[in-house]
Amino acid sequence: MKIKNELLQACYNYANKRIANYKAEIETIKESIESNDKGGDEDDDSGNGKLFNDLEKNSQHLSEANKMLDGLKNINANTVSEKVIAGSVVKTTSNNFFISISAGKIDLEDSSFFAISHLSPIGMLLLGKGKGDTIEFNGNTFTITEVI
């Protein structure tokens, strides 16, 4: 269970860092809009238009990052299942996966894990599978050697 807790914490750190970055970017954009409004030429809206677009994009990214965080809250690192579920650590003949959020590669001690969403293409292939099952992804065949 230690490995699950460490992977879950790494995913929390990833999501929280994204949230903090988007919030900071949104504040910077808001400040730029305000300073443009105070001292700008009324005929020049092109700068604010781009800023409003950036604000909207960052707000959408912030919403997605908050959804990631909410998804992590549904994972119990102490849950044990023989079949792959959200929160499972899946070791295969090729790669190791943590079914959680799409957070990329996480290195722990002497192993690497890919934090993937259960909604990702490979995540959907792994769900419900158990030790000894095989999946094919992008022309590669993986055999599950362990589900934690």
Side-chain angles (χ1 to χ4, degrees):
M1 293 304 151
K2 179 183 176 216
I3 197 163
K4 270 190 183 182
N5 284 312
E6 290 176 8
L7 288 167
L8 187 57
Q9 187 58 54
C11 288
Y12 268 110
N13 293 346
Y14 174 84
N16 284 324
K17 183 177 180 182
R18 285 183 60 141
I19 289 168
N21 287 343
Y22 291 129
K23 283 181 177 179
E25 187 66 22
I26 287 168
E27 279 307 307
T28 301
I29 293 168
K30 285 180 178 178
E31 289 170 9
S32 295
I33 290 170
E34 285 177 25
S35 70
N36 281 353
D37 285 346
K38 289 179 185 172
D41 185 337
E42 288 189 27
D43 293 333
D44 183 24
D45 284 335
S46 62
N48 274 0
K50 182 180 180 333
L51 290 171
F52 281 120
N53 285 341
D54 289 347
L55 181 63
E56 185 177 331
K57 285 179 188 174
N58 278 282
S59 294
Q60 289 172 345
H61 292 309
L62 177 60
S63 176
E64 291 167 12
N66 279 314
K67 286 178 188 174
M68 280 182 151
L69 193 59
D70 290 341
L72 288 173
K73 291 176 183 173
N74 293 323
I75 294 175
N76 181 346
N78 297 318
T79 300
V80 178
S81 174
E82 290 183 12
K83 299 290 181 186
V84 177
I85 60 172
S88 291
V89 173
V90 183
K91 295 185 176 186
T92 73
T93 51
S94 182
N95 293 306
N96 301 318
F97 302 96
F98 179 50
I99 312 300
S100 54
I101 61 171
S102 295
K105 186 177 178 185
I106 300 171
D107 292 316
L108 293 180
E109 297 170 14
D110 59 348
S111 297
S112 294
F113 297 84
F114 292 95
I116 61 170
S117 167
H118 67 285
L119 299 174
S120 68
I122 195 163
M124 289 190 288
L125 289 173
L126 288 169
L127 278 181
K129 301 283 193 262
K131 182 178 178 178
D133 289 340
T134 60
I135 62 163
E136 188 174 321
F137 184 73
N138 286 344
N140 298 313
T141 302
F142 305 92
T143 301
I144 298 173
T145 58
E146 188 175 6
V147 177
I148 302 172

